[in-house]
Amino acid sequence: MGLLFQESPKYLLTSESVTEGHPDKLCDQISDAVLDAVMKDDPMGRVACETAVTNGLVIVMGEITTSSYVDVPGIVRDTLSKAGYVKSEYGIDAKSCGISVSIQEQSQDISKGVSTALERRGDGASEEDLDTIGAGDQGMMVGFACNETPELMPLTVSLSHKLVRQLSLVRKEGILPYIWPDGKSQVTVEYRYGVPHRVDTVVISAQHSPSVDNDQLKNGIIEHVIRKVIPADLLDADTNIYVNPSGRFVIGGPAGDTGLTGRKILVDTYGGIARHGGGAFSGKDPTKVDRSAAYAARYVAKNLVAAGLADRAEVLVSYAIGMAHPISVSVETFDTNRVDSDTIHALVAKHFDLRPAAIIKDLDLRRPIYTPVAAYGHFGRDDLDLTWERTDKADILRAEAGL
């Protein structure tokens, strides 16, 4: 979305989100809860944990190298219970579901490449040397920020997340007692000349008790979810609101849809408004640049926008497996920049170290901090103190750019 988007008189953009009871999000939370259990006792542990859920069964698999003990079945049951799956009629029961675990250690070939980067092999580099750790895989990572919301996220995905969080809240607090754990939201915003103008369409799909009728469900969700979240000045007589447009949604959760870790990557990031490198986050320790470099790229983009260097910034970073230094770093500002591109790239190179070991150190990533972001997005979380969401470099960027 470059100059054409900024000059377009009308443009519709859409994002979605899902509740923590959505089958794919259950898997993300289980995988990250396993990661957090390792990080708690063994910060240097290597984790690549994948989860699948279906009717009455959870499968946890992957590669984990750690000195700590992890009670995987206990983590599974605790995660399901917290998400609301305490009755089999909801789609799975935390107390009685089957659990299968198949975990092995990380490949020694990968381990050696990560533990000692190509740049330092053979020279006796120490763990403290930031050139020591090589990227855990090749790939491209994307970070994005824009000035549409206080948290510097696209309005579409911000509203989508808030809707499903509110949907979960009215279930947990008994405000709408007929709501069950599974649910989704979708928001379409009308932009005019690159600026959000109004909400065009809202879609909410909520799993529910068979005893509630469609009108009661729709009216309850409009009153206690949609109007509680979306500012009144963004809604008008032409806004389309759809609640459970498919009809009944009683069969949900893992009984209605098999879940897998890493299948909601746009929900996790920017709702499709920015590009995506393709790598999922959950269940991966910070040596995996799919996760850590995506966090770092968001950190860069958010500070650039917070500093006023641009209204929109998309940071793209790429790596080769086993190498410490990125292959490429680039910044796209979609013609919203207030200083020239060369200045922006020079400031990024000066103030942000994007080697994996530097990212882990600067963002303090060897901690059990991951389960909370496994639902409702990894970015723009004003309810959490996330290092990659800080704008602590905005002042120096602004000063050195001469703004």
Side-chain angles (χ1 to χ4, degrees), residues 175-191:
I175 297 171
L176 300 180
Y178 44 80
I179 298 294
W180 287 0
D182 197 358
K184 304 178 76 171
S185 68
Q186 184 172 288
V187 177
T188 300
V189 173
E190 178 187 321
Y191 288 73

Side-chain angles (χ1 to χ4, degrees), residues 33 82 115 121-122 175 185 188 196 253 270 299 330 337 339 369 396:
K82 288 178 177 176
S115 298
R121 283 175 209 160
I175 297 171
S185 68
T188 300
Y270 309 103
Y299 180 52
S330 63
N337 49 301
V339 296
I369 56 174
I396 185 114

Side-chain angles (χ1 to χ4, degrees), residues 14-20 22 25 155-168 181-188 199 201-207 221 225-226 229-230 242-245 249 264 266-267 271 376-377:
T14 302
S15 296
E16 70 161 351
S17 187
V18 300
T19 66
E20 77 263 36
H22 186 280
K25 273 289 142 213
L155 180 62
T156 51
V157 73
S158 178
L159 292 176
S160 295
H161 285 323
K162 290 176 181 177
L163 284 169
V164 284
R165 289 182 69 180
Q166 181 68 12
L167 187 64
S168 178
D182 197 358
K184 304 178 76 171
S185 68
Q186 184 172 288
V187 177
T188 300
V199 170
T201 304
V202 180
V203 182
I204 298 284
S205 294
Q207 187 189 15
I221 288 177
V225 178
I226 295 174
V229 168
I230 299 181
Y242 302 104
V243 175
N244 284 18
F249 185 6
K264 286 290 176 284
L266 295 182
V267 172
Y376 309 120

